[in-house]
Amino acid sequence: MKKKTSEKTRHVVAWLNKAEWDQVLDYLYSKDPALQKHALHRISAWKGRFGHNTPVAVGSTADLVRCQVLDSSGQVDGEALVLLYGMALVRFVNLITERQQKGVARPLRRLASKMNIPEWIVNLRHDLTHHRLPPLKWCRKGCSFVLDWLQQEYWSRQLGSRLAEDWDSAEEEEDEQEWSKRQEEELALRQKEREGYKRARELLISYEREQFQTYEELMESGSQGLWPEPSADLSWILAQITHFNTESREILIDALVQDGFLIPTVDQLESLGIDTSEGAVDPLTPSLPRVFLRFWLPLLRVLNSPSFIGHLLDKLLAELATEPANHRSFYITAWISEILLCNSNRQRKMKRKDKIFSNRQQFRWQHLISACVNAPCSATPYLLQQILSDMDEPLPSDTQENLLRLCSIYTQTGNHGNHSPGNPDPTQPVYTLQSLQERLRGGATPHKHAPPTEDLHEHLSPEVLQERNSALRGSAWQVCTDRVPWKLYPLGKVPGQSEDPSCLMLETYTTFTIFDQQVELDKLPQHHGNPSGLVQPKTAADGPLWTHSDISKLKAGLQLF
Amino acid sequence: MKVQKVSPRSTHVQPNATKRKNKWRLHNRRALGLNSSDLSPNSTFAKVEHQLANREKSHLKRLKKLHAKRIILSLEDSSSVKAKDRDQPGTFSHVHTNGGGTELEVNSNSEDSQDWRSYAKSVLQNGVECSAGQESPDAASPEQLEEEELQYHAQLDRSHNRTILVMQQGQTLCFRGKCLLTCLYGRVEVLGFTIEEGQQPYPMFSPPSHCPLTITALGDNSPTIKSRKEGRLEAKAIIRKYLSTEPRKRLLSEVDADSCVVLLEPLDTPLTRFLTSFTELNQLFNLSAKELRSQAAIYNPALSAVGVTALRGPFGRGLVMSQSYRQALSSLLSAWAGEFDRCPVILVCGAKNSGKSTFVRHLINSLLNHTASVDYLECDLGQTEFTPPGCLSLITVTEPLLGPPFTHQQDPEHMVFYGQPDCQSDLDRYLDSLKSLWRYYSGENPVIINTMGWVKGHGFQVLVDLIRFFSVTHVVQLSYGDTPQCQSLTPEFMRSAHGFQTHPPAPPTLGDESDNHATARNHVLLAVRSEFEGAGSAGETRHQRSNELRDLALLGYFSQLQSPEPGPIRPLHCFVPYQVPHSAVAIGVTHCEVAPNHILYAANASLVGLCCLGEKVSGRGGPVLLSQTPICQCVGLGVLRGVDMSRGLYFVVTPVSPMVLRQVNCLLLGEVTLPKALLTVQPGVEGELPYVTTDYSFEVKGAGKVHVFKGLMRPAFVKTKTNN
């Protein structure tokens, strides 16, 4: 349901575009038989596309307009016209009210009155089916009334802007089925997700329990700082978490950044012997207490694939964007800083014991910067500094300078100018985060960001093309060799196609009749039949068993339109 | 919770944990050092060996086929009974033991058929045992059962991302998901098909739209010279070959001579990638909502790493086979073994959702254990097995069917495009199309005729026709519930039944002679009662509705366009199309009358059948329109991607190979349409999509299709109905 408000459902319809719809509507109600005929012909094509999904209103309108066209032609006599009108009217009344039926049949009159269809139309219908046929005059009257009704209730309400706002409650047709299906899918997905979260929490809690135990043992033995290699239990848990990670990484990461895991609670910190008082930490240069880092190190080390780290970083930054400055934001920034530190070129040269991962990873730097400035907090300048100094292709130094300055202005940490005495470029002041990002984007190397659809387009290698064309040589078929970016042309559209709804009309065509239609039954295999045969099964296939149908079919096949 | 459950075991190991750790580290170091040189040749060697084994197997299969064919030929050439008797056992035993060919001294016909009878019986008994086993859980304490079920001995080989599963004889694994299965040791059975060690890997698909697949370990019951010990050692050697020390240990203790060792690999094909690229299908191979809700999944990391989720409890029972189901299956198997004059012609019929398709798949798989190929005549337009819906076809099946239809779409040797998912609108064309297909039946293989679920009125008459046309030898009639869905198609009934095109034979006038004929034509009727839950009612969860399954079949079909190499999934509009002049191919609509001038409005961006007319098509300018619907060979389907009006060209996107496409001179349009998703999701396109709108409101009166309110009761009947 949520989805629908944000994004309208796309329906497949029989008309190419709104222009075609408008044209058909105009012609149907034009009162000019030639135009009406044109519209009827187009609707015959629509029916071909829609199949049994043709809207009731479209079908009824076409039936009724056809009656009017035949009537005006003067070539059909009155009695025949009554039958034609009659069928069209009966079908309209029955089909249009069918949707109102629920469980037990209800009188048409009551259903019709709910739909603003007057009683005399329903009576006309009853006369047509149960009583003496009504006079042609009444049929014509009924027909034109119903056509007006259809115009008002269906044609002018469809594809107009008028209804755009009550779209949320729409889709009676697309319908209970579809809707319940979607409901169910969502439910299943949610259920799965819930279970995933439950499991992730379970795993992480058992990990914490194990680690706390190790920590306590450590404290008792007094050998602070040196954590032992993972125990068998812990290895097992780690293996489980790794498995879980391969299946549902996002859930695991979501769970990790919840309070009580990577973001420690005060209780947890105290039990790890970490000072939790106000002044113990510096929110400007956040860093993790070593004990706490070591606590999580075994887990992070087994998970440290580049994509995991990337995801975690993204998630942390995303979380940070929604956090006010507090305990949580401190630990989030501390983790970000820790990850950046692990990756940093300078730090890599120094030997560090407590590293989460050891191989340098390729972050999406541009993305990282915008994520970082999108989540401003007191530590942002610090983090930004780390990022900037560590990029593979560093930004121009003046850009870096501006960025940092602006950032510290924004976060009001102020002291930035001290260790960056550089020369701010006064000609190009950067005032807002937005313009800053724009500038960043402008300065970024654009060739890296090729549109993702680029490789969607099929490129046939010369060999494949050659192969296909030589297989087709001598036939009318060939591989299209026009230099057309097909990915830009949706199905049903080709280069140079006009928007005019008449663009696919045929002026000339050839009718092709097949004479070799009958299935030659004497060609049926002999051996599968019982050799002793009964009513001379195979060989007497030209007997009365089936061939007459072939002939009749041939006759029936010669139909005109 | 599960973590705790297992932890006792690991604490048990703790005393020597440190030791192991050292080893572990050592191992690691070694692995790092030798990584490129020492380890990889080993694994490549294993791979080559594996491939070799595969090749050998496929070779074998081909041999088998040749063999089988030769016999049939000899049957036809010289009807010498002796030659037949000598050859026949040869084929069967050959096939039966899959080339193992150890003790094949069966020379006499009687002995051979005995062999067969016993096999058929074993199928039957097997089933009986199973059903007994199914009932016993109720007696046994459920917890115990649970405990047992959780024990799947599977280990993941992380470096190759594949899992080794050890199963004890008789153990079953009922699962959701998809994987590639290779039997490394012993024999396993899946939906009637037996997979032995040394056979090629088989893809399995078990999406929640269908009854889950069950892998059953049969153990190695071929009487061999191997002792138990040798068998055990062999199995252990196989495990060693595939697993590193750490995971290996946990499995080795479980292996015995009669266990089965199975290799499961993740299955990632163009088909699965294409299907799951649609957001509404990305859960296609996961558990159904109902299974999730009742927590039917057994958590096993090694299995889930390769895409398999084991099911427990009532969900893990898999296919429910009734007694009559098994009996029918076994008598059909023995019919194939026992009859030498002609191959059985088996017609399977029954009302909608009575389990026809599953029975047919099971039967084909069972037959493929004994013969290289089975023929299949598709008469069910709505739920086609090998082709997109709306097509009738005759196909020779050589590979087992271990998944629903949308996972094995292909272009059959002979196909006719009918164009609609049901045959009601033109029964004559339907029957004539089938007759035209039947001309191509070789008579060399057993043939299975799958029919539609329409068994009332004309639908029933059509069934009568089909039985007469194809001289059916066995009719399998499925039913469910207490009241039969239609009359029983006994030979007696057939003597007086009127079909749609055929009539009962004239009453005997010549005495003896015609009596003989009548008895000779009799078929065997096998009545099967379906007893699975929900028999007779349409599936309601996602991907079970017939229109969704049709869309899936079409998506499966068009997934053949995707390149086999991993890469981006291409939407249909991104493919370079074929082009053909308007005047070179005829175009026609099968299911309704479309005004000729407007026909391209129906054809543009539509699904088309690519057909071959016998006559040459050449237009005198402009497109060539068919005046009636032809019955002709269809080589596949395509999408009429666009029409170039100025140059007079059709653009067609199709997976049909160019060699075949060159013969196509007719495009047929049907009521079967492209799945909506192919039109509504076309990434990369800017601007409006043709035939797609967001502004159509179904709330407006008359906006929906003709709605048939089924089961509408007349007020007068309400009382009596409820009383019943």
Side-chain angles (χ1 to χ4, degrees):
Chain A
M1 294 260 46
K2 241 188 300 163
K3 237 194 292 178
K4 267 189 243 160
T5 46
S6 58
E7 195 180 309
K8 291 175 181 178
T9 322
R10 293 177 169 188
H11 299 285
V12 174
V13 290
W15 42 94
L16 187 81
N17 49 25
K18 182 144 191 309
E20 190 182 340
W21 161 275
D22 287 341
Q23 192 191 45
V24 167
L25 174 57
D26 281 351
Y27 287 5
L28 277 176
Y29 287 92
S30 65
K31 302 243 154 64
D32 173 351
L35 293 181
Q36 284 181 317
K37 227 175 185 167
H38 186 279
L40 290 178
H41 286 169
R42 182 61 53 81
I43 289 180
S44 78
W46 286 7
K47 283 181 176 168
R49 298 192 83 86
F50 267 133
H52 63 273
N53 288 321
T54 310
V56 167
V58 173
S60 284
T61 312
D63 291 345
L64 293 161
V65 170
R66 178 168 293 117
C67 295
Q68 287 189 337
V69 170
L70 286 170
D71 198 351
S72 66
S73 75
Q75 286 166 359
V76 187
D77 62 58
E79 282 179 32
L81 281 172
V82 171
L83 293 177
L84 284 170
Y85 276 118
M87 196 54 169
L89 287 167
V90 170
R91 281 182 65 79
F92 164 76
V93 174
N94 275 38
L95 296 181
I96 206 81
T97 53
E98 186 68 25
R99 279 192 176 272
Q100 311 286 317
Q101 295 282 16
K102 287 182 180 70
V104 179
R106 283 184 295 166
L108 286 181
R109 210 175 316 113
R110 203 180 309 156
L111 298 176
S113 75
K114 269 194 205 162
M115 305 177 77
N116 296 329
I117 298 171
E119 198 172 339
W120 69 270
I121 292 287
V122 179
N123 289 338
L124 191 60
R125 180 243 174 235
H126 289 332
D127 285 349
L128 281 159
T129 51
H130 305 299
H131 304 290
R132 215 154 57 90
L133 280 176
L136 181 56
K137 224 175 123 187
W138 275 107
C139 288
R140 286 184 179 141
K141 230 183 181 118
C143 177
S144 67
F145 177 87
V146 171
L147 279 175
D148 285 345
W149 185 92
L150 282 165
Q151 186 176 23
Q152 255 176 33
E153 297 288 330
Y154 176 78
W155 293 95
S156 61
R157 283 168 187 257
Q158 214 50 274
L159 298 201
S161 51
R162 259 205 290 155
L163 274 182
E165 58 271 18
D166 17 349
W167 248 89
D168 300 342
S169 52
E171 284 154 67
E172 168 206 357
E173 150 77 0
E174 193 251 353
D175 41 16
E176 307 95 72
Q177 240 190 37
E178 293 271 315
W179 190 75
S180 69
K181 191 182 97 188
R182 214 173 301 139
Q183 277 292 86
E184 196 182 328
E185 270 163 32
E186 260 168 47
L187 205 75
L189 217 66
R190 239 177 291 143
Q191 173 91 8
K192 205 177 139 110
E193 222 171 88
R194 251 202 309 274
E195 256 162 53
Y197 274 114
K198 211 173 111 201
R199 173 137 184 90
R201 290 186 67 93
E202 270 168 21
L203 284 171
L204 291 175
I205 288 170
S206 54
Y207 170 85
E208 284 186 330
R209 204 172 291 151
E210 200 63 38
Q211 281 290 80
F212 266 119
Q213 207 180 329
T214 320
Y215 173 76
E216 267 163 24
E217 281 165 20
L218 212 68
M219 294 311 283
E220 275 167 35
S221 65
S223 65
Q224 198 168 8
L226 248 178
W227 288 58
E229 286 294 309
S231 69
D233 278 348
L234 190 63
S235 314
W236 203 88
I237 294 167
L238 287 176
Q240 297 276 307
I241 296 180
T242 326
H243 267 303
F244 188 84
N245 180 40
T246 57
E247 273 171 33
S248 21
R249 163 171 302 150
E250 268 155 42
I251 292 179
L252 181 68
I253 290 178
D254 278 0
L256 263 177
V257 300
Q258 279 167 17
D259 283 334
F261 299 111
L262 286 191
I263 315 302
T265 61
V266 178
D267 289 348
Q268 282 173 335
L269 287 176
E270 274 168 359
S271 50
L272 283 174
I274 294 166
D275 185 6
T276 55
S277 58
E278 263 302 298
V281 291
D282 177 10
L284 297 185
T285 55
S287 75
L288 288 174
R290 290 296 100 179
V291 185
F292 182 63
L293 174 62
R294 280 173 201 151
F295 182 88
W296 284 104
L297 219 45
L299 176 67
L300 295 175
R301 273 183 180 155
V302 297
L303 294 178
N304 76 11
S305 73
S307 59
F308 177 84
I309 298 292
H311 268 95
L312 182 62
L313 208 52
D314 285 350
K315 181 70 193 171
L316 287 169
L317 284 165
E319 286 286 307
L320 189 60
T322 60
E323 283 300 322
N326 58 14
H327 169 80
R328 198 169 146 74
S329 76
F330 171 78
Y331 273 93
I332 291 175
T333 48
W335 276 110
I336 296 173
S337 158
E338 184 64 37
I339 290 172
L340 291 172
L341 215 58
C342 279
N343 204 41
S344 100
N345 273 324
R346 256 171 298 152
Q347 288 291 335
R348 292 173 58 73
K349 290 188 189 108
M350 297 183 245
K351 277 258 182 256
R352 269 181 64 119
K353 227 171 47 205
D354 306 324
K355 269 163 74 168
I356 302 172
F357 53 95
S358 46
N359 294 328
R360 182 173 165 81
Q361 303 188 349
Q362 282 313 310
F363 293 137
R364 294 179 296 158
W365 294 107
Q366 294 289 340
H367 172 82
L368 213 56
I369 293 176
S370 32
C372 187
V373 294
N374 266 335
C377 69
S378 49
T380 305
Y382 177 70
L383 295 178
L384 206 55
Q385 176 84 56
Q386 271 186 306
I387 296 172
L388 288 174
S389 62
D390 202 33
M391 284 171 76
D392 291 314
E393 292 169 41
L395 295 174
S397 60
D398 57 329
T399 315
Q400 288 194 28
E401 210 42 62
N402 285 336
L403 201 54
L404 286 172
R405 272 173 82 94
L406 192 85
C407 199
S408 47
I409 293 168
Y410 186 86
T411 57
Q412 303 187 334
T413 39
N415 60 349
H416 212 82
N418 297 347
H419 39 105
S420 58
N423 38 351
D425 189 354
T427 55
Q428 283 179 300
V430 182
Y431 290 113
T432 62
L433 269 177
Q434 211 163 16
S435 68
L436 199 119
Q437 281 175 341
E438 269 160 27
R439 226 173 103 170
L440 262 175
R441 250 174 250 135
T445 42
H447 60 87
K448 269 187 172 175
H449 299 277
T453 51
E454 180 73 20
D455 42 9
L456 283 181
H457 187 165
E458 186 188 38
H459 293 282
L460 295 178
S461 66
E463 298 87 58
V464 175
L465 198 63
Q466 169 82 24
E467 195 187 312
R468 289 193 184 175
N469 270 331
S470 67
L472 293 171
R473 194 160 298 136
S475 74
W477 292 84
Q478 62 185 91
V479 178
C480 176
T481 47
D482 305 345
R483 301 190 139 271
V484 173
W486 287 108
K487 67 168 171 105
L488 299 178
Y489 292 91
L491 298 180
K493 212 163 222 179
V494 294
Q497 186 170 325
S498 80
E499 291 293 317
D500 177 13
S502 326
C503 65
L504 292 174
M505 283 296 289
L506 290 184
E507 274 141 36
T508 55
Y509 60 89
T510 316
T511 307
F512 190 76
T513 310
I514 302 148
F515 294 105
D516 183 24
Q517 251 307 20
Q518 64 267 62
V519 178
E520 290 162 50
L521 289 142
D522 33 40
K523 279 193 191 161
L524 281 173
Q526 300 294 311
H527 45 81
H528 75 275
N530 198 314
S532 54
L534 116 132
V535 213
Q536 311 122 313
K538 306 295 109 72
T539 42
D542 44 351
L545 280 189
W546 43 66
T547 8
H548 68 276
S549 72
D550 296 325
I551 296 153
S552 66
K553 203 162 62 58
L554 244 186
K555 285 185 200 152
L558 296 172
Q559 268 173 18
L560 46 134
F561 185 82
Chain B
M1 261 161 59
K2 266 159 217 152
V3 179
Q4 261 109 354
K5 217 181 229 175
V6 189
S7 59
R9 218 206 306 178
S10 43
T11 47
H12 182 67
V13 197
Q14 223 163 18
N16 52 11
T18 44
K19 223 190 205 170
R20 204 179 53 187
K21 220 175 295 148
N22 284 343
K23 248 194 241 162
W24 172 247
R25 208 183 283 158
L26 242 174
H27 176 81
N28 262 357
R29 205 171 297 150
R30 210 191 306 149
L32 276 176
L34 304 178
N35 203 1
S36 52
S37 58
D38 227 341
L39 276 180
S40 57
N42 223 354
S43 61
T44 49
F45 175 68
K47 222 178 235 170
V48 169
E49 201 176 35
H50 193 65
Q51 277 168 356
L52 271 178
N54 288 348
R55 208 170 299 154
E56 209 169 48
K57 174 61 197 167
S58 63
H59 190 62
L60 221 169
K61 278 231 155 164
R62 222 173 295 137
L63 250 181
K64 232 166 33 184
K65 197 172 177 181
L66 280 175
H67 204 67
K69 272 200 180 144
R70 201 182 61 212
I71 285 144
I72 307 288
L73 278 175
S74 78
L75 255 174
E76 279 180 351
D77 291 347
S78 62
S79 48
S80 146
V81 186
K82 268 183 194 166
K84 182 182 70 186
D85 276 354
R86 223 176 304 128
D87 271 354
Q88 203 72 38
T91 356
F92 284 138
S93 43
H94 195 90
V95 175
H96 188 42
T97 54
N98 257 326
T102 40
E103 24 76 72
L104 313 175
E105 285 162 41
V106 207
N107 259 331
S108 80
N109 190 6
S110 67
E111 234 174 302
D112 177 57
S113 54
Q114 227 168 38
D115 206 32
W116 270 92
R117 220 162 289 142
S118 72
Y119 177 78
K121 216 176 265 171
S122 80
V123 170
L124 206 60
Q125 275 165 1
N126 218 351
V128 174
E129 270 168 31
C130 267
S131 72
Q134 257 178 32
E135 275 153 35
S136 65
D138 299 321
S141 84
E143 273 168 56
Q144 199 184 331
L145 183 79
E146 201 91 312
E147 210 58 29
E148 248 167 61
E149 272 182 343
L150 291 172
Q151 297 279 321
Y152 285 116
H153 300 292
Q155 287 298 326
L156 176 69
D157 169 14
R158 210 161 297 173
S159 52
H160 296 92
N161 197 23
R162 55 192 185 184
T163 289
I164 299 285
L165 169 69
V166 172
M167 297 175 83
Q168 305 312 326
Q169 193 167 358
Q171 196 185 1
T172 58
L173 166 62
C174 180
F175 72 96
R176 287 279 177 227
K178 55 180 165 53
C179 67
L180 197 63
L181 181 145
T182 318
C183 188
L184 299 175
Y185 178 80
R187 298 186 309 144
V188 295
E189 188 245 58
V190 185
L191 195 61
F193 188 71
T194 310
I195 305 169
E196 303 189 15
E197 58 185 274
Q199 282 188 327
Q200 68 192 81
Y202 287 101
M204 322 231 150
F205 299 91
S206 183
S209 51
H210 289 73
C211 172
L213 290 179
T214 305
I215 303 171
T216 308
L218 298 178
D220 192 14
N221 68 355
S222 61
T224 48
I225 344 97
K226 281 184 279 180
S227 68
R228 277 188 75 79
K229 197 179 166 195
E230 278 173 319
R232 186 163 58 230
L233 288 177
E234 193 186 319
K236 288 192 174 178
I238 288 168
I239 292 177
R240 278 201 196 92
K241 205 166 78 188
Y242 280 91
L243 291 176
S244 59
T245 15
E246 188 67 9
R248 182 197 293 168
K249 258 188 221 152
R250 303 204 184 103
L251 282 189
L252 284 178
S253 57
E254 306 295 339
V255 184
D256 207 348
D258 51 10
S259 335
C260 291
V261 182
V262 167
L263 176 71
L264 303 174
E265 290 164 283
L267 188 60
D268 183 38
T269 62
L271 168 79
T272 60
R273 273 182 277 134
F274 185 58
L275 288 177
T276 47
S277 73
F278 294 95
T279 40
E280 65 270 34
L281 295 179
N282 60 9
Q283 301 289 315
L284 185 61
F285 293 102
N286 295 358
L287 298 194
S288 71
K290 197 175 166 198
E291 285 159 348
L292 273 177
R293 238 176 286 133
S294 12
Q295 311 207 310
I298 299 172
Y299 184 74
N300 186 321
L303 288 179
S304 49
V306 291
V308 168
T309 311
L311 298 178
R312 76 169 103 219
F315 295 93
R317 290 216 182 120
L319 180 64
V320 175
M321 294 183 282
S322 64
Q323 184 67 22
S324 52
Y325 184 103
R326 286 192 201 94
Q327 255 155 5
L329 212 56
S330 82
S331 52
L332 288 172
L333 283 178
S334 42
W336 159 234
E339 185 144 1
F340 303 126
D341 301 340
R342 53 186 295 209
C343 282
V345 178
I346 303 161
L347 181 135
V348 182
C349 64
K352 272 180 222 151
N353 304 302
S354 57
K356 284 187 302 297
S357 312
T358 309
F359 182 85
V360 165
R361 280 195 278 274
H362 200 164
L363 177 59
I364 290 176
N365 290 344
S366 307
L367 284 169
L368 283 177
N369 289 332
H370 309 298
T371 174
S373 45
V374 177
D375 283 353
Y376 177 86
L377 180 69
E378 181 65 81
C379 307
D380 186 359
L381 286 163
Q383 302 302 328
T384 42
E385 185 70 38
F386 297 99
T387 68
C391 298
L392 300 167
S393 60
L394 178 69
I395 187 170
T396 302
V397 188
T398 54
E399 295 293 320
L401 306 176
L402 306 175
F406 66 84
T407 62
H408 45 251
Q409 292 287 306
Q410 48 198 283
D411 289 323
E413 294 88 343
H414 305 287
M415 175 156 81
V416 171
F417 185 77
Y418 183 84
Q420 276 170 285
D422 58 68
C423 67
Q424 296 178 29
S425 60
D426 196 347
L427 289 178
D428 281 318
R429 185 157 60 89
Y430 171 75
L431 287 168
D432 290 348
S433 304
L434 289 173
K435 282 190 274 183
S436 79
L437 286 171
W438 189 250
R439 282 187 300 195
Y440 299 104
Y441 171 52
S442 65
E444 289 173 13
N445 299 322
V447 62
I448 295 163
I449 302 167
N450 186 31
T451 61
M452 57 196 170
W454 184 29
V455 293
K456 297 246 153 74
H458 284 134
F460 188 69
Q461 290 190 332
V462 165
L463 275 182
V464 169
D465 282 341
L466 294 182
I467 293 173
R468 290 216 177 101
F469 287 151
F470 308 138
S471 307
V472 169
T473 60
H474 295 80
V475 173
V476 181
Q477 194 167 10
L478 289 105
S479 64
Y480 53 83
D482 301 324
T483 48
Q485 286 75 46
C486 63
Q487 196 147 7
S488 192
L489 286 159
T490 60
E492 294 74 43
F493 173 76
M494 285 297 292
R495 247 170 253 149
S496 60
H498 282 267
F500 186 74
Q501 287 191 353
T502 65
H503 301 285
T509 48
L510 293 170
D512 291 348
E513 214 188 331
S514 52
D515 267 350
N516 276 347
H517 286 160
T519 48
R521 198 179 156 84
N522 280 355
H523 63 256
V524 179
L525 174 69
L526 300 162
V528 172
R529 272 184 57 83
S530 294
E531 287 167 8
F532 58 92
E533 192 190 340
S537 54
E540 274 153 17
T541 56
R542 69 203 160 116
H543 315 315
Q544 284 189 339
R545 293 178 192 96
S546 52
N547 56 338
E548 280 178 87
L549 289 173
R550 273 178 220 141
D551 282 358
L552 278 172
L554 279 164
L555 292 176
Y557 182 82
F558 283 110
S559 75
Q560 298 175 81
L561 278 166
Q562 301 294 329
S563 110
E565 287 102 47
I569 287 300
R570 286 201 180 90
L572 245 53
H573 69 279
C574 292
F575 288 94
V576 175
Y578 294 99
Q579 65 182 48
V580 68
H582 288 167
S583 57
V585 290
I587 190 163
V589 183
T590 60
H591 62 290
C592 64
E593 296 269 341
V594 174
N597 304 86
H598 297 251
I599 195 164
L600 294 183
Y601 287 88
N604 191 26
S606 287
L607 184 71
V608 289
L610 306 170
C611 304
C612 309
L613 293 172
E615 292 154 72
K616 195 171 161 25
V617 174
S618 58
R620 302 180 302 274
V624 184
L625 310 189
L626 289 168
S627 61
Q628 83 261 46
T629 306
I631 296 172
C632 56
Q633 165 80 354
C634 171
V635 296
L637 298 183
V639 177
L640 188 63
R641 184 239 187 278
V643 184
D644 187 326
M645 295 302 286
S646 54
R647 288 189 292 165
L649 293 174
Y650 297 121
F651 292 116
V652 175
V653 171
T654 175
V656 169
S657 85
M659 275 313 279
V660 180
L661 188 66
R662 57 175 293 134
Q663 306 156 14
V664 171
N665 59 1
C666 171
L667 307 177
L668 290 183
L669 297 159
E671 198 178 359
V672 176
T673 51
L674 284 180
K676 279 184 188 174
L678 288 182
L679 287 170
T680 54
V681 185
Q682 300 190 54
V685 174
E686 283 157 21
E688 267 183 43
L689 295 173
Y691 307 106
V692 173
T693 179
T694 53
D695 288 333
Y696 190 80
S697 163
F698 281 103
E699 209 180 42
V700 172
K701 283 162 202 154
K705 61 177 174 185
V706 171
H707 181 87
V708 184
F709 205 99
K710 282 180 193 144
L712 192 65
M713 278 188 288
R714 297 284 147 198
F717 295 121
V718 174
K719 256 185 194 163
T720 50
K721 278 267 171 170
T722 46
N723 285 348
N724 287 348

